[in-house]
Amino acid sequence: MDKHCVTLSQISDYIDSKQYGELIGESEAFYQSQIEEVKKKILGSIDAVKIIIIAGPSSSGKTTTTIKITEELKSEKDIRFVPLNIDNYFLDLDMQPKDINGDYDYETPQALDLPLIRMHLLALINGEEVSVPGYNFKTGKREGIIEKLRLKKNDIILIDSLHGMFPEMMEGIDDNKKFKLYIETLSQVKDKNFQFVRWADIRMLRRMVRDMQFRNHSPEKTLTHWHFVRRSELRYIISRLRDADVVVNSFLSYELPVMKKRLGHMFPEFIEKYRKDEERQDAYTRAVRISGIFDEIPEWENESVIPGNSLLREFIGGSVYKY
């Protein structure tokens, strides 16, 4: 929910009137209220559910949402969650699909060993033991077995994945045994021209900050790679929203001024660099659009007022959670 922030100028008003802390509190409370509703829905079918799927596009906040939901459920029921890390099921590099430029495309579900994931999920639901592979991202290969899993009576498999609702991953599994959550930055904020701030732009800013801070990737690299992310999202992820049991809005009305402080000074340079580069027009267009958003809002410098358990901490750092 965007609370009273219908436009970017109204977000600015919160800062100008020294009420930004109030906006932070309202935004966090709304997000938490959604977690409470998810908990209630899961508990309503807990006796049948064997797999909880947290899916959604890149940087929508799947990891923090997964942590918070499991915290809530553990406080209500004697449940043990068994995470299944889908990243361990990537195909070896020599079997990976490539894009038209010959680069490896990790964003597509075909980069995963879908038959093996399916086989392991069915085996776990049937009480069988599975050997989970370990994937080495430095070598681009699966190397040995990382763990052996077998579900106990009150165990529930937990899947936090971009492609958690991709049909070929879950084929043959009874729908009653799955609870499917989809998460997205469902902003309804408009700019001065009454155009909506795009959900994907918000997520790209989050990923820029996260990749720079935790993955040693430059914001520029994230910007120029983003069209691959979007292509995969539109083809394989966003269309699955209709299959979800519940949808969570992870947009926080106060986050854009925080992102401006972190990234705003970079966008004029991106615009100039890619203005005449015909092969980088996607990056140029996104840079222009985001620079326009930043022009309408001030920076927010004091990140200490952002709670340690905030979803935004997944991207800016300083979280009480371990990722």
Side-chain angles (χ1 to χ4, degrees):
M1 183 168 67
D2 299 325
K3 301 302 292 181
H4 305 297
C5 297
V6 178
T7 65
L8 291 170
S9 65
Q10 288 172 311
I11 294 177
S12 299
D13 290 343
Y14 269 92
I15 296 177
D16 294 340
S17 62
K18 303 187 185 306
Q19 293 181 306
Y20 204 58
E22 178 183 332
L23 181 61
I24 292 172
E26 291 175 345
S27 301
E28 293 292 341
F30 175 69
Y31 170 73
Q32 185 60 35
S33 72
Q34 295 179 89
I35 300 299
E36 295 284 344
E37 286 302 311
V38 171
K39 177 185 73 173
K40 291 176 184 176
K41 289 189 176 184
I42 293 176
L43 288 174
S45 57
I46 198 68
D47 292 336
V49 170
K50 297 304 293 180
I51 305 174
I52 294 177
I53 302 158
I54 314 288
S58 176
S59 301
S60 52
K62 294 182 292 298
T63 305
T64 301
T65 301
T66 300
I67 293 171
K68 287 181 176 290
I69 289 171
T70 54
E71 282 182 342
E72 291 290 332
L73 288 170
K74 285 178 181 177
S75 70
E76 295 284 341
K77 295 279 282 187
D78 181 22
I79 303 169
R80 186 176 77 107
F81 291 98
V82 180
L84 189 67
N85 187 349
I86 298 300
D87 284 357
N88 284 315
Y89 290 84
F90 273 112
L91 295 168
D92 286 355
L93 207 57
D94 58 3
M95 298 176 66
Q96 286 280 351
K98 296 182 180 181
D99 62 34
I100 57 174
N101 297 316
D103 296 324
Y104 293 107
D105 187 358
Y106 285 104
E107 307 293 340
T108 172
Q110 283 77 29
L112 297 164
D113 191 339
L114 296 170
L116 184 61
I117 295 172
R118 215 165 41 236
M119 184 175 72
H120 279 188
L121 289 173
L122 287 166
L124 286 167
I125 289 172
N126 291 327
E128 301 169 19
E129 183 179 85
V130 303
S131 297
V132 179
Y135 193 84
N136 187 331
F137 281 91
K138 291 182 179 179
T139 63
K141 292 184 178 182
R142 286 201 298 238
E143 298 177 354
I145 304 302
I146 196 169
E147 63 179 333
K148 292 184 180 292
L149 290 181
R150 185 194 300 269
L151 297 188
K152 297 178 181 178
K153 181 180 178 182
N154 292 327
D155 288 355
I156 294 178
I157 304 166
L158 193 62
I159 294 177
D160 160 11
S161 171
L162 285 172
H163 301 295
M165 291 196 289
F166 187 64
E168 291 180 31
M169 186 184 292
M170 297 288 165
E171 190 176 6
I173 299 173
D174 187 343
D175 267 349
N176 291 327
K177 295 184 183 297
K178 298 177 286 188
F179 185 90
K180 303 179 293 295
L181 181 149
Y182 188 94
I183 184 167
E184 173 62 283
T185 48
L186 303 171
S187 165
Q188 296 298 302
V189 174
K190 295 181 179 180
D191 63 19
K192 64 183 179 182
N193 298 315
F194 297 99
Q195 298 296 309
F196 284 109
V197 173
R198 299 192 185 195
W199 304 344
D201 287 346
I202 295 166
R203 290 189 287 99
M204 187 180 75
L205 292 171
R206 289 179 174 183
R207 182 154 162 173
M208 282 179 158
V209 169
R210 184 195 66 190
D211 286 358
M212 175 173 58
Q213 184 149 316
F214 300 114
R215 303 185 180 184
N216 200 30
H217 290 172
S218 71
E220 183 176 3
K221 182 176 180 180
T222 306
L223 174 66
T224 56
H225 179 78
W226 193 250
H227 65 288
F228 292 123
V229 176
R230 285 296 287 155
R231 183 182 64 187
S232 180
E233 289 175 355
L234 292 168
R235 186 177 298 173
Y236 301 113
I237 301 172
I238 293 172
S239 62
R240 309 280 25 122
L241 188 152
R242 65 180 182 271
D243 300 327
D245 295 303
V246 65
V247 177
V248 168
N249 178 4
S250 71
F251 176 64
L252 299 166
S253 297
Y254 66 87
E255 67 180 279
L256 289 172
V258 176
M259 295 302 177
K260 179 177 180 178
K261 172 60 180 174
R262 294 285 191 112
L263 301 168
H265 63 285
M266 302 179 184
F267 279 87
E269 180 182 335
F270 296 153
I271 290 170
E272 288 307 309
K273 184 172 183 177
Y274 297 121
R275 185 186 301 276
K276 296 181 180 179
D277 187 338
E278 292 184 1
E279 294 185 0
R280 297 293 191 188
Q281 284 304 291
D282 180 86
Y284 170 72
T285 301
R286 293 182 194 282
V288 169
R289 195 165 59 232
I290 290 171
S291 185
I293 291 170
F294 285 162
D295 284 345
E296 294 189 44
I297 56 176
E299 297 178 351
W300 181 259
E301 296 190 22
N302 183 15
E303 292 182 1
S304 67
V305 298
I306 301 171
N309 65 349
S310 172
L311 179 145
L312 194 59
R313 292 283 180 190
E314 181 179 332
F315 307 97
I316 67 173
S319 178
V320 299
Y321 302 125
K322 292 183 179 179
Y323 298 110

